[in-house]
Amino acid sequence: MPSPLPSRNRGPKPTKVDPDHLLDAAQAVFAEEGLRAASLRAIARRAGCDPALIYYHFASKEALFLALMNRRFPALLRDIEKLAEPTDLRPTALRLWDVLLIYHRHLKDDPGIRALIRGEIVRGAEGLSHLIEDQIRPMVGSIQRIFEQGIARGEVRPGVQPLLATFFLAKMQLEILDVLPAVLPLLTELPPEGAVLTGMRAWLEVLWRGVALDASAPLPTLPSPLD
Amino acid sequence: MPSPLPSRNRGPKPTKVDPDHLLDAAQAVFAEEGLRAASLRAIARRAGCDPALIYYHFASKEALFLALMNRRFPALLRDIEKLAEPTDLRPTALRLWDVLLIYHRHLKDDPGIRALIRGEIVRGAEGLSHLIEDQIRPMVGSIQRIFEQGIARGEVRPGVQPLLATFFLAKMQLEILDVLPAVLPLLTELPPEGAVLTGMRAWLEVLWRGVALDASAPLPTLPSPLD
DNA sequence: AGCAATATTCAACACCTGTTGAATTGGACC
DNA sequence: GGTCCAATTCAACAGGTGTTGAATATTGCT
């Protein structure tokens, strides 16, 4: 008999493990563990395959994470960019609310991408820097433009710095998506359900009053997300 | 000759490695690497001793981290609580600025504690939960009380929810301390110096206008931190 | 001088990590 | 029916992790 013992379950599976399925598993694990703590073995377990298979489809753990980002970012970026078009003449407060809703829609199921935006990049992998260049910077630019247009239209007071206002808007939205539901039950007896929407509304009200030319003008009615 | 080879450098050192020195090293490493990624070997290297020595002074890695928190938190909590005393009749905007300054003073050199407050607790170690109970919850309560007093004094509009306003204030301050200096050079050509103070001022202006009973009233002059 | 307590290091354990090279199988094509 | 290629697994490597038990100097006490 041959010295390497004949293991029968190698070779292709009846149903292929396509890269997208791997990405799904990776997204789930990155979401729970964070970029650094997520292990390829855990991802493989989730996907129902061997860790080595990941290396057949992706060059490294970092490349896997990058592919994950490249799957999500373009659609998010496109939606934000569409919102920033100068032909959109709706009230600025409504457009900002739409920014929050778009974030909510695209990111609510993907804490991994949120962690990336939040700044895991900063000391994280180097290979992600052109992702900032190509995707995050234009996104920030678009939101910034909404504020600038708001100033030009006499809705936002001229003293407001668009870049900082964008920073405030985006950062707080991430905190609301991530931290508010987790932290609210710790501090009060309130259940976490509805916390995100409550937080978003309260946040936009504060931000808008802080930024509007006429702070006492009422907010337009804000539509709820449809999902 | 004795079978265990006689290594000459065991036993106590000429200068003791006291636990506080260990905590200093731990703080530095936790700051750079984060709670999970910081290794005891790196901490020991920083402290100039053997990893095993850490276990002579602390029961575990988690206990070390906990001791680190217990070294910083009480002073921070005391300062915040003093600020919330109802006998403090200064303008609410100034008291909120003081909250930002206190955060800045106590936390600017300690990203580890910031990471904890930010939410590394949520999925992190279980043993930290009573730290939330004993230290973080009263801190949040104090800031909340400042908002409530502001409402009672007719400075803050009654529609504002003190808990959410506190969440906004604290979370954004952490983002400003951590993320703003790292992210600003990525998005603009601006150097990171002064970014924190600029961000703090702009942030308080937005928050205060968003929260004040009379949003058009000017902010009181905000003193700079002294350090 | 001897003894006990204290502070420190060494060497190892068991486990987890990203990654790789070789082996293997199934299906498609000729 | 044989051949080739794509997809998958196995077993291992080298390194890192928290942790522990034993060995060992030093200090202070009597």
Side-chain angles (χ1 to χ4, degrees), chain A residues 34-76:
Chain A
L35 169 53
R36 199 157 191 167
S39 84
L40 291 175
R41 282 168 171 86
I43 293 172
R45 213 177 307 130
R46 188 84 146 228
C49 70
D50 192 273
L53 183 59
I54 298 176
Y55 283 86
Y56 181 77
H57 291 288
F58 303 95
S60 66
K61 180 184 179 183
E62 185 179 320
L64 173 65
F65 187 72
L66 195 62
L68 200 51
M69 295 303 114
N70 283 329
R71 193 173 65 158
R72 268 257 194 281
F73 258 111
L76 168 60

Side-chain angles (χ1 to χ4, degrees), chain B residues 23-37:
Chain B
L23 285 176
D24 289 342
Q27 173 175 324
V29 177
F30 278 133
E32 286 171 10
E33 309 286 344
L35 169 52
R36 200 156 189 168

Side-chain angles (χ1 to χ4, degrees), chain B residues 166-202:
Chain B
T166 300
F167 181 82
F168 295 160
L169 176 77
K171 281 299 165 181
M172 192 56 83
Q173 174 68 345
L174 292 178
E175 295 294 324
I176 288 171
L177 284 171
D178 267 323
V179 186
L180 196 54
V183 114
L184 214 51
L186 263 53
L187 297 176
T188 68
E189 280 79 27
L190 292 176
E193 302 137 31
V196 167
L197 213 57
T198 306
M200 279 169 62
R201 293 195 119 95

Side-chain angles (χ1 to χ4, degrees), chain B residues 99-119:
Chain B
V99 172
L100 295 185
L101 290 183
I102 287 174
Y103 266 65
H104 182 258
R105 175 151 36 89
H106 281 89
L107 305 185
K108 71 172 150 49
D109 297 326
D110 196 343
I113 208 174
R114 298 205 294 267
L116 180 81
I117 301 179
R118 189 179 303 109

Side-chain angles (χ1 to χ4, degrees), chain B residues 16 43 65 84 87 104 118 120 136 156 158 160 162 181 185 189 202 213:
Chain B
K16 261 193 230 178
I43 294 172
F65 187 72
T87 56
H104 182 258
R118 189 179 303 109
E120 207 158 358
I136 296 188
V156 176
V160 168
E189 280 79 27
L213 190 65

